[in-house]
Amino acid sequence: MPFRLHFGESDLLRCRFALSPLFETQEAVRTLHRTGRHGYHLPWLRRIREASEALDLEPLWLLMPSGGHNPDFICPPPIGPLATFEEEVAAVRAVDPEVARADMAQALADRPGGAASAAGRRLLADPARAVRELADLLERAWQALIEPYWPRLRALLEADIAYHSRRLADSGLEQLLGELNPRLSWQGATLTVAGTQGDHERVLGGQGLVLMPSVFVWPEVVGGHEEPWRPGLIYPARGIGGLWSQSAERTPGTLARLLGQVRADVLCALDEPAGTSVLAHRLGLAPSSVSAHLSVLRGAGLLTSRRYGHQVLYERTPLGIALAAAD
């Protein structure tokens, strides 16, 4: 059944991109419990196995019914385009307990036996305590599952936003939203998200839409949040197929002879826009060395760069793309 978002004229002026470390933490927890999501993330799953087994994630999984309501208060819309986890989890701790209770009750109602279970009754009996405990659990999950890998995840998410921001400038919002995922389609002023569970409607009412790429949400597209939260649309980020690769793809020998092996590796590693620290991690090089090679490649017209938030993202120019494809 579809999820429909109804736009007004003012909503088109208030759409923005954002990324959320809290949302990625929640979706990482969900991914552990859903084997259908494991395909792209097997290297990560192996790395975090011991850390995840040390966490009691049952209270969060109880509130994540498949195809049902998931509480918005444990993952509210990002407070800004580059919010930190600490800022976001502080917003969770500040949620009105009665708002949290209603949110949890709706989620538990969508899980057979959820509200009547001992864990469900405990959550609903003292929502203020539940908010504290869930926020604490999300913080532990962040530290164990996401924080060690956040520079890599953030770089991929920021590269996705940089790419789609350019597409927005080139083609406009209507075409951009249609390109984000095959499940999205326009009819008049309504954006339909196909393949979701349940038949939902949301009139944006001048609030616009927060567009959030996610590493872990694949293969789904999620339309959230319910009132009083600002509406959001979460879609799979580009490039997750190579997210956990340890090294660059094979560098053509001819390119290595032309540029030198390391510089050619840097160029070939930029299948997606990336920053210095991510490339350094991917290639096993010192950031200072990668920075020097990036400067030379950019000066030669093989790369272009743009600042996004706290870092500079590099990507190939058409000439750089042609050289990287040479064999």
Side-chain angles (χ1 to χ4, degrees), residues 93-211:
R93 297 185 191 281
V95 167
D96 183 337
E98 290 307 310
V99 171
R101 189 184 190 284
D103 218 357
M104 291 187 293
Q106 188 175 350
L108 292 169
D110 286 338
R111 180 180 290 280
S117 67
R121 292 198 306 271
R122 186 175 187 276
L123 289 171
L124 297 178
D126 189 344
R129 179 186 62 196
V131 168
R132 293 193 302 271
E133 292 180 352
L134 290 170
D136 289 343
L137 182 52
L138 284 167
E139 189 164 15
R140 292 194 295 273
W142 156 258
Q143 293 166 350
L145 308 179
I146 299 298
E147 188 175 24
Y149 312 104
W150 181 239
R152 178 185 295 218
L153 303 181
R154 182 182 60 205
L156 185 73
L157 297 171
E158 290 177 345
D160 178 277
I161 291 174
Y163 172 83
H164 285 117
S165 295
R166 291 194 303 276
R167 292 297 299 143
L168 176 62
D170 291 341
S171 59
L173 181 64
E174 181 177 8
Q175 186 168 334
L176 168 69
L177 290 176
E179 292 176 357
L180 287 179
N181 193 271
R183 298 187 182 192
L184 302 178
S185 61
W186 280 100
Q187 185 174 6
T190 297
L191 181 69
T192 298
V193 184
T196 58
Q197 297 291 323
D199 194 353
H200 301 286
E201 307 272 343
R202 180 75 188 268
V203 177
L204 301 188
Q207 298 181 83
L209 189 65
V210 181
L211 301 168

Side-chain angles (χ1 to χ4, degrees), residues 266-286:
V266 171
L267 180 65
C268 289
L270 283 166
D271 289 327
E272 294 285 335
T276 302
S277 61
V278 170
L279 288 171
H281 180 82
R282 188 178 298 168
L283 296 168
L285 299 171

Side-chain angles (χ1 to χ4, degrees), residues 238-273:
R238 301 172 75 248
I240 61 172
L243 174 63
W244 302 111
S245 60
Q246 292 294 325
S247 61
E249 298 291 330
R250 181 181 64 86
T251 302
T254 52
L255 185 61
R257 290 192 293 272
L258 175 66
L259 299 178
Q261 184 66 56
V262 176
R263 196 165 291 161
D265 286 344
V266 171
L267 180 65
C268 289
L270 283 166
D271 289 327
E272 294 285 335

Side-chain angles (χ1 to χ4, degrees), residues 35-55:
T35 57
R37 290 186 174 191
H38 286 186
Y40 284 123
H41 302 297
L42 291 176
W44 171 76
L45 288 165
R46 287 192 291 268
R47 294 172 196 173
I48 56 89
R49 180 178 294 119
E50 290 187 10
S52 64
E53 290 174 350
L55 296 170

